[in-house]
Amino acid sequence: MGFEIVARDGAARAGRLATAHGAVETPVFMPVGTAATVKAMTPEAVAATGARLVLANTYHLMLRPGAERVAALGGLHRFMNWPHAVLTDSGGFQVMSLAGLRTISEEGVAFRSHLDGSRHLLTPERSVEIQRLLGADVTMALDECTPYPAERDAVAASMELSMRWAERARRAFTERPGHGIFGIVQGGVHAELRERSARRLVEIAFDGYAIGGLAIGEGQATTFAMVEASVPALPEARPRYLMGVGKPADIVGAVKRGIDMFDCVLPTRSGRTGQAWTRAGALNLRNARHAEDPTPLDPECRCPACTGFSRAYLHHLTKAGEILGSMLLTWHNLTYYADLTAALRSAIRAGRLADFSFGGAAP
Ligand SMILES: [Zn+2]
């Protein structure tokens, strides 16, 4: 999997990730397509926002419809009619957060499906196999998501287990042109554990490196401190992915610290609850002050919600629980995130990241 850095500004980089399903410009935000669909969006609409890489969730897809079934139907790209790149997570995060009766051992995680109670064993090898069956361009190594807060010794032991799993996942990965596997830095909120984890992953040698287990309540300053502890230990020439982040200002701050890739449910989930991210800050369309407002949601935005409709109409749809409200606000929010990352790429190329601003999204 090729990765080329085309411009630098301080610690930030603008790059190009070459996948089997096209090039992806970085910094990039990946819309979350949990169950092989970005909720409330057609694939054409997702692509129209500018997205060329989406995330799909291994945990959900292994349980329903099943990885072998997706493979038999031609793989995830064909199944969901998404011709661009796909990154799948390892399944670990959702096993920890959704599944019942989890037992973690050296071998992997045994758990019961939250859908029907069926028993499953997710190992580093099985996770890689599922992601190969799905046809992911980017595969993530299985890690244990350390709870937060946790005692330092417990965090260290969990991180070491994740590193042994990372080695097994790397070995299980089948090299194919345009496909890659990323390892995940763990270590909680402890800088020295983060650095040790990053160094261990680099010894194993991945195609890219993720920083996981953050944005779970530790606060932005700590998130950034953990990024700063991890990034110097990672190779300059490989992509870096901060998992589950975040708000626009988190993305700007992390890009300035050398992060290239992001994912978060925020723009899609909040789009379904009447929350919009605009150049003037976050807005709640449920608020009565929008009820008679004929102006667009964000006058500088190119999306259909902003070019075709008023705030009053979007307020009405949201209040009435209309499906179109979810569709339009999701489309808008994903456009906002795509335009934010495009503006970051331009600022890096122009060497003007220091005075970057994008409406409310200051670091
Ligand atoms: Zn818009």
Side-chain angles (χ1 to χ4, degrees):
M1 167 163 284
F3 181 65
E4 177 195 0
I5 294 175
V6 297
R8 285 189 173 79
D9 187 357
R13 318 96 68 75
R16 192 173 293 119
L17 185 66
T19 80
H21 294 85
V24 177
E25 303 287 330
T26 65
V28 63
F29 177 82
M30 296 179 269
V32 176
T34 301
T37 162
V38 176
K39 291 186 199 310
M41 296 283 280
T42 63
E44 292 79 6
V46 175
T49 69
R52 290 295 178 270
L53 172 59
V54 298
L55 179 149
N57 288 126
T58 287
Y59 172 82
H60 289 281
L61 295 172
M62 71 183 279
L63 297 180
R64 186 175 59 194
E68 277 75 8
R69 181 175 294 169
V70 172
L73 291 164
L76 201 49
H77 296 82
R78 176 156 181 82
F79 189 52
M80 64 189 285
N81 192 23
W82 174 254
H84 309 293
V86 174
L87 177 148
T88 44
D89 66 2
S90 69
F93 180 80
Q94 267 132 3
V95 167
M96 315 295 169
S97 55
L98 291 177
L101 296 171
R102 308 175 289 282
T103 316
I104 296 169
S105 66
E106 189 65 34
E107 191 185 7
V109 198
F111 67 94
R112 282 181 184 272
S113 161
H114 74 289
L115 297 174
D116 60 6
S118 57
R119 291 169 183 277
H120 300 267
L121 176 66
L122 191 63
T123 64
E125 293 81 8
R126 177 61 181 157
S127 172
V128 165
E129 184 187 21
I130 291 169
Q131 295 177 76
R132 182 182 56 75
L133 288 164
L134 295 173
D137 297 275
V138 180
T139 292
M140 300 301 298
L142 182 68
D143 60 342
E144 189 196 5
C145 300
T146 316
Y148 175 81
E151 294 293 326
R152 190 190 175 286
D153 287 354
V155 176
S158 168
M159 182 273 281
E160 296 292 352
L161 176 65
S162 288
M163 296 304 100
R164 295 191 297 277
W165 284 0
E167 196 166 359
R168 287 166 53 190
R170 185 73 187 87
R171 218 177 303 130
F173 181 75
T174 310
E175 297 286 348
R176 289 151 288 157
H179 295 76
I181 180 168
F182 286 22
I184 305 174
V185 176
Q186 287 289 349
V189 295
H190 305 280
E192 77 284 5
L193 295 181
R194 288 280 169 184
E195 189 187 338
R196 197 198 304 169
S197 175
R199 290 192 189 288
R200 181 72 195 107
L201 293 176
V202 175
E203 286 169 13
I204 300 168
F206 284 92
D207 298 297
Y209 297 87
I211 302 175
L214 292 173
I216 51 174
E218 75 281 359
Q220 190 196 62
T222 304
T223 309
F224 286 165
M226 294 304 106
V227 169
E228 287 169 5
S230 310
V231 163
L234 298 175
E236 186 61 27
R238 304 313 310 168
R240 304 160 183 161
Y241 164 26
L242 182 57
M243 303 182 80
V245 170
K247 292 198 173 104
D250 301 332
I251 291 175
V252 175
V255 163
K256 289 185 172 179
R257 290 165 174 83
I259 300 294
D260 309 299
M261 300 166 65
F262 301 89
D263 80 282
C264 188
V265 293
L266 203 57
T268 39
R269 181 175 291 166
S270 58
R272 300 193 303 278
T273 58
Q275 183 91 5
W277 302 88
T278 75
R279 286 162 181 76
L283 286 182
N284 187 347
L285 267 306
R286 302 187 72 84
N287 195 310
R289 73 189 165 94
H290 304 298
E292 297 185 345
D293 190 341
T295 64
L297 180 54
D298 183 339
E300 292 177 64
C301 181
R302 61 187 166 86
C303 91
C306 295
T307 54
F309 305 96
S310 63
R311 288 185 182 194
Y313 183 66
L314 297 169
H315 167 80
H316 160 69
L317 292 179
T318 303
K319 288 291 280 186
E322 285 293 338
I323 292 168
L324 183 59
S326 295
M327 293 166 62
L328 288 173
L329 290 181
T330 301
W331 196 323
H332 167 77
N333 283 342
L334 288 179
T335 303
Y336 176 87
Y337 271 67
D339 288 353
L340 170 68
T341 46
L344 283 164
R345 295 193 294 270
S346 300
I348 294 166
R349 286 201 198 91
R352 302 183 61 150
L353 193 58
D355 44 277
F356 181 81
S357 76
F358 192 77

